[in-house]
Amino acid sequence: MLNRRVVRVRNPLIRECMAEFLGTFVLLLFGCSAAAQVKTSRETKGQFLSVNMAFSVGVMSAMYLTKGITGAHLNPAVSLSFCVLGQVPWGRLLPYFLSQLLGAYVASGLVYLVYYDAIMEFSGGVLTVYGPNETASIFATYPTEYITLGGSFLDQVVGTGMLMLCILSLGEKRNTPAPPELIPAIVAAIVLGISMSMSANCGGAINPARDLGPRLFTLTAGWGTEVFTCYNYWFWVPLVAPLIGGVIGTFMYLIFIQWQLPDPDPPERLTPLSTISDKVLQPSTMWDNGEDLKAAHL
């Protein structure tokens, strides 16, 4: 039996990056596996809704898995928004993003191995981005042919803005807070609602790591540079637009909701010693209320 003291990582940042890596890995493994099953079976073993539900189950599972360590961002747009709110140090943003990106990349590789035979049979052994037998969309998102660049950018801004607008209220005790143990399931339902209503135009990435990680994998696994050059170099839209949308959604929540709520009751006066002790003993999650800081702050 492994000794916990031997395998426990002492560095808080490394622990948090491990959690973000594993959480994003689980999210993408569920979602891209469903996409592979639906695509390669020509929708005889699932449909568009199957993919939406699988990503939502992936979000819920990943949040339950990692929420106690980082709060389960799983998305650079979420990490950026919490940095803007002051709930995550800015120095965590890049390590979190790289961990999320790596988790998405590795998950894509595993999906490719699991569905390798199906992908090759479906595509005839030719890995392409265009055409009826394309398989690149199993992994990354791509726009429909009718949508303009501006339209797809707006699509991603709105989708990610709605994500942040809806999840930020879940821990606000002055409003209608969700039970902490149900927050992952509620976030999954929010993601499902967004994907069911706002993913027809360009796949509903609303997550730079969810799109860039698999896109980098397809670049290295045989699809080639076309995964970046197709649709007039569209790849930057799901990379940039969600970051902007997340910040916009965050400020919408602050301006329309948080700053309009009644002022909280003044906290009881505590001695410096008791304040520090209480902080150390509190669980490390940013979802318990809208003002808690995660373990990295301690």
Side-chain angles (χ1 to χ4, degrees):
M1 182 175 180
L2 288 176
N3 190 320
R4 178 176 180 269
R5 293 183 178 181
V6 174
V7 298
R8 179 174 173 82
V9 176
R10 300 295 180 181
N11 187 298
L13 178 59
I14 295 178
R15 288 202 302 265
E16 293 156 18
C17 289
M18 290 169 59
E20 287 299 315
F21 165 84
L22 185 61
T24 312
F25 171 86
V26 169
L27 166 61
L28 268 293
L29 188 63
F30 272 99
C32 290
S33 292
Q37 178 172 302
V38 171
K39 169 72 75 171
T40 58
S41 70
R42 301 185 189 274
E43 298 191 359
T44 61
K45 298 177 181 178
Q47 296 176 327
F48 184 65
L49 180 59
S50 305
V51 182
N52 294 336
M53 294 182 68
F55 270 109
S56 300
V57 171
V59 167
M60 180 179 66
S61 302
M63 287 193 68
Y64 276 120
L65 186 65
T66 65
K67 177 174 169 284
I69 299 178
T70 62
H73 296 184
L74 316 174
N75 183 341
V78 174
S79 299
L80 175 62
S81 296
F82 280 120
C83 287
V84 170
L85 289 171
Q87 295 187 17
V88 174
W90 284 97
R92 253 56 175 179
L93 181 58
L94 182 59
Y96 281 13
F97 171 69
L98 294 176
S99 302
Q100 294 155 358
L101 184 66
L102 182 60
Y105 183 96
V106 174
S108 300
L110 184 55
V111 171
Y112 178 69
L113 292 176
V114 170
Y115 280 96
Y116 177 82
D117 293 332
I119 290 172
M120 290 302 162
E121 190 279 333
F122 175 85
S123 65
V126 181
L127 304 178
T128 61
V129 176
Y130 297 103
N133 293 329
E134 65 82 16
T135 48
S137 63
I138 290 173
F139 301 95
T141 62
Y142 294 88
T144 54
E145 295 182 357
Y146 60 76
I147 195 167
T148 64
L149 187 64
S152 61
F153 192 91
L154 177 63
D155 175 272
Q156 290 296 289
V157 168
V158 171
T160 317
M162 285 300 299
L163 174 67
M164 290 308 303
L165 179 64
C166 293
I167 69 175
L168 285 175
S169 64
L170 297 179
E172 179 54 73
K173 293 183 177 180
R174 294 176 293 164
N175 201 342
T176 310
E181 63 275 11
L182 292 181
I183 286 178
I186 296 171
V187 173
I190 293 169
V191 171
L192 178 60
I194 293 172
S195 60
M196 289 177 64
S197 58
M198 303 181 196
S199 58
N201 286 331
C202 42
I206 63 173
N207 183 338
R210 174 264 173 275
D211 187 84
L212 182 59
R215 197 178 299 275
L216 287 171
F217 171 76
T218 53
L219 172 69
T220 57
W223 279 264
T225 57
E226 196 172 41
V227 298
F228 282 94
T229 60
C230 66
Y231 299 102
N232 195 25
Y233 295 88
W234 182 83
F235 79 92
W236 66 270
V237 173
L239 181 61
V240 175
L243 299 175
I244 297 174
V247 173
I248 291 174
T250 298
F251 277 105
M252 287 180 64
Y253 173 74
L254 291 176
I255 294 170
F256 286 89
I257 302 297
Q258 188 175 88
W259 293 342
Q260 312 308 324
L261 290 169
D263 292 334
D265 295 332
E268 297 180 6
R269 185 173 181 82
L270 300 174
T271 64
L273 180 59
S274 64
T275 302
I276 295 173
S277 300
D278 291 344
K279 268 294 182 185
V280 171
L281 293 174
Q282 287 176 357
S284 58
T285 171
M286 64 182 62
W287 295 103
D288 291 339
N289 63 61
E291 297 178 356
D292 279 352
L293 304 184
K294 57 185 213 50
H297 295 172
L298 303 180

